[in-house]
Amino acid sequence: MRKAVGGTVNYIPKFTPDGVTLGNSQIQDDGTNVTIGGKAIRAGHATGNLTIGLGSGYDDSGTIINTFIGFEIAPGMTTASGCTGLGYRTLNAATTAHACTAVGHKSMYSLTTGAYCTAMGVYAMMSNISGDYNTI
């Protein structure tokens, strides 16, 4: 038996608490981009890197050049390249950082122009703004 089901275009459906009715999930797919809760999920770009979270890290040609996994990573990123962020708000202020790796809650939080830096741990190098070749 077929039953007509309504829904919102581009939203992935989910069962509501009554277990019978379908409603909108937080996942949206417009055929080009997928978002979860309004945060972009992009994969399979030219370099094969994966970006999850806010702050996509793309250059002017649309090629991904950074790898992020976490929530609200590098929201101010503009021309940074070769950076890796893992954790909440890593590389928060990174605008032109280069080849930096931040792992941990708010690590490299204030970094804007540093290069070749590595920070591991909660709040590691949180106040470093423009240092180069730093490791913590």
Side-chain angles (χ1 to χ4, degrees):
M1 173 164 128
R2 297 178 85 180
K3 182 177 179 183
V5 178
T8 304
V9 173
N10 295 336
Y11 279 87
I12 307 301
K14 70 174 185 175
F15 284 102
T16 61
D18 68 13
V20 177
T21 310
L22 288 176
N24 291 337
S25 70
Q26 293 185 36
I27 304 170
Q28 188 176 14
D29 180 354
D30 66 7
T32 303
N33 297 302
V34 174
T35 62
I36 298 177
K39 306 296 183 209
I41 305 297
R42 296 183 178 101
H45 288 275
T47 60
N49 292 329
L50 171 66
T51 299
I52 300 176
L54 188 63
S56 58
Y58 291 86
D59 67 12
D60 292 336
S61 69
T63 302
I64 190 167
I65 52 176
N66 300 290
T67 304
F68 305 134
I69 299 175
F71 184 67
E72 293 185 5
I73 298 175
M77 184 166 279
T78 54
T79 60
S81 64
C83 294
T84 301
L86 176 60
Y88 175 74
R89 288 264 173 144
T90 59
L91 296 162
N92 182 69
T95 53
T96 58
H98 176 70
C100 293
T101 301
V103 178
H105 180 87
K106 292 188 178 180
S107 59
M108 285 193 208
Y109 184 84
S110 299
L111 181 75
T112 54
T113 59
Y116 307 105
C117 298
T118 302
M120 183 175 286
V122 175
Y123 300 114
M125 287 177 39
M126 183 174 173
S127 298
N128 185 51
I129 295 172
S130 61
D132 292 341
Y133 300 98
N134 295 320
T135 300
I136 291 182

